[in-house]
């Protein structure tokens, strides 16, 4: 089988946990690389606007026949600026996916694994004085748990490989919410902005990913990937239930990978 075609298969898996080497390949093969891009985080019940980060994605995959295991680390390169009604701040994000997959046919792959994501934000009141460092507060939105999915691949003789992936995640959410500093009239009904301290929840939803890979040389490939995590979080707090809280994370990355 053409070596460039095999490389496209390897790298596609790194971009989307899905594609595998031909069953005729008996040796263990590895893929690693790096891609740069931007990520956007949205949590409309807590934040007034989306957060945009410059980010890097580093994959590492190992293949053997129709099986493959991979890890993808994605992290922000610089903190993003936050602007709320009463606060400004900085935000960062880290994600890690560990995936095991099996190719069931030429075009279809089943996969599953474990994911972790953590968004950290430091808020500073707009009217803070230089000596009031203790007024700085921190929030954290952490999620972890299993996911399962399926992907489909199109292979083109002169245009590389295109892959579409869909996965379902069932995650545990561990949030730390700072006290709301907005000046509002006191209300009897507990609202989402009133939640403070450690707040746990259940997060479920789907991830969608579209990737394209193209060989550059015998061992080097170009890759690009667009991914959407579309989740809803259910929270129980002091006898009050908040259901279907929208939380999304999107990313677009372009880079290179090496097969050895």
């Amino acid at each position: 089988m053409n070596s460039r075609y095999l490389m496209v298969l390897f790298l596609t898996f790194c971009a989307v946990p899905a594609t595998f080497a031909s069953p005729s390949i008996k040796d263990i093969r590895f893929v690693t690389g790096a891609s740069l891009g931007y990520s956007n985080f949205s949590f409309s019940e807590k934040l007034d606007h989306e957060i945009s980060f410059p980010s890097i994605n580093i994959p590492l995959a190992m293949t053997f026949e129709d099986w493959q295991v991979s890890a993808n680390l994605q992290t922000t390169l610089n903190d993003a600026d936050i602007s709320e009604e009463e606060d400004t701040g900085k935000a960062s994000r880290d994600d890690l996916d560990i995936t095991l997959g099996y190719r069931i046919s030429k075009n279809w792959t089943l996969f599953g694994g474990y994911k972790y994501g953590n968004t950290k934000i430091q808020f500073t009141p707009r009217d803070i004085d230089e000596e009031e460092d203790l007024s700085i507060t921190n929030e954290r939105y952490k999620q972890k748990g299993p996911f399962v999915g399926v992907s489909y691949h199109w292979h083109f003789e002169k245009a590389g490989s295109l892959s579409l992936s869909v996965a379902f995640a069932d995650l545990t959410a561990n949030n730390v919410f700072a006290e709301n500093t907005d000046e509002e009239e006191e209300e009897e009904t507990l609202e989402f902005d009133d939640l403070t301290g450690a707040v746990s929840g259940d997060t479920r939803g789907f991830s969608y990913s579209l990737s394209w890979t193209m060989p550059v040389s015998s061992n080097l490939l170009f890759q690009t990937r667009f991914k959407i995590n579309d989740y809803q979080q259910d929270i129980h707090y002091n006898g009050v239930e908040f259901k279907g809280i929208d939380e999304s994370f999107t990313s677009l990355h372009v880079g290179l990978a090496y097969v050895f």
Side-chain angles (χ1 to χ4, degrees):
M1 183 175 290
N2 185 283
S3 61
R4 288 195 174 188
Y5 176 74
L6 291 177
M7 289 174 58
V8 171
L9 295 184
F10 292 145
L11 186 57
T12 301
F13 182 85
C14 291
V16 179
T19 307
F20 297 88
S22 166
S24 63
I25 300 299
K26 302 301 182 181
D27 296 333
I28 295 177
R29 305 295 298 271
F30 296 90
V31 183
T32 189
S35 56
L36 300 174
Y38 267 86
S39 303
N40 294 314
F41 176 75
S42 175
F43 196 7
S44 58
E45 293 289 345
K46 289 295 296 182
L47 304 173
D48 293 339
H49 60 88
E50 288 188 351
I51 308 174
S52 295
F53 314 88
S55 54
I56 183 171
N57 183 73
I58 301 174
L60 176 63
M62 180 181 69
T63 70
F64 179 74
E65 296 186 350
D66 289 331
W67 291 93
Q68 186 159 7
V69 61
S70 74
N72 280 275
L73 172 65
Q74 185 171 314
T75 187
T76 52
L77 294 172
N78 292 307
D79 290 346
D81 293 324
I82 301 294
S83 179
E84 299 290 298
E85 291 184 9
E86 301 295 330
D87 303 300
T88 61
K90 298 289 185 179
S92 62
R93 171 87 182 192
D94 296 307
D95 287 271
L96 175 65
D97 294 350
I98 299 175
T99 306
L100 175 67
Y102 182 75
R103 191 186 71 165
I104 59 176
S105 71
K106 179 181 178 180
N107 299 102
W108 289 96
T109 300
L110 298 177
F111 60 89
Y114 190 86
K115 69 165 58 239
Y116 165 90
N118 188 22
T119 302
K120 294 182 290 186
I121 301 178
Q122 183 181 81
F123 288 109
T124 304
R126 293 183 184 275
D127 57 356
I128 190 173
D129 294 329
E130 291 183 1
E131 298 180 356
E132 293 180 334
D133 291 340
L134 295 179
S135 295
I136 296 175
T137 57
N138 296 283
E139 287 200 349
R140 183 194 71 208
Y141 320 134
K142 182 187 295 184
Q143 300 170 337
K144 57 184 179 180
F147 64 90
V148 293
V150 62
S151 61
Y152 187 85
H153 321 283
W154 295 266
H155 308 294
F156 308 101
E157 183 177 354
K158 297 182 179 180
S161 178
L162 183 68
S163 295
L164 176 65
S165 173
V166 179
F168 175 78
D170 187 1
L171 311 175
T172 299
N174 294 292
N175 308 295
V176 175
F177 294 144
E179 184 177 356
N180 181 28
T181 59
D182 293 349
E183 296 181 359
E184 297 178 354
E185 295 182 1
E186 185 176 347
E187 298 181 2
E188 295 182 359
T189 303
L190 182 69
E191 296 184 345
F192 195 83
D193 267 354
D194 299 324
L195 305 187
T196 59
V199 179
S200 299
D202 298 314
T203 298
R204 297 179 180 88
F206 290 90
S207 296
Y208 311 93
S209 183
L210 182 66
S211 68
W212 175 60
T213 61
M214 188 73 181
V216 176
S217 66
S218 58
N219 293 91
L220 190 66
L221 294 100
F222 166 84
Q223 64 171 346
T224 181
R225 180 182 70 164
F226 176 66
K227 185 175 182 179
I228 301 173
N229 292 342
D230 185 17
Y231 298 146
Q232 288 76 45
Q233 186 174 161
D234 296 336
I235 291 176
H236 301 271
Y237 184 85
N238 290 345
V240 180
E241 186 176 45
F242 298 90
K243 295 183 68 67
I245 305 300
D246 290 328
E247 188 172 355
S248 65
F249 184 67
T250 63
S251 61
L252 175 63
H253 288 89
V254 177
L256 298 171
Y258 187 81
V259 181
F260 57 97

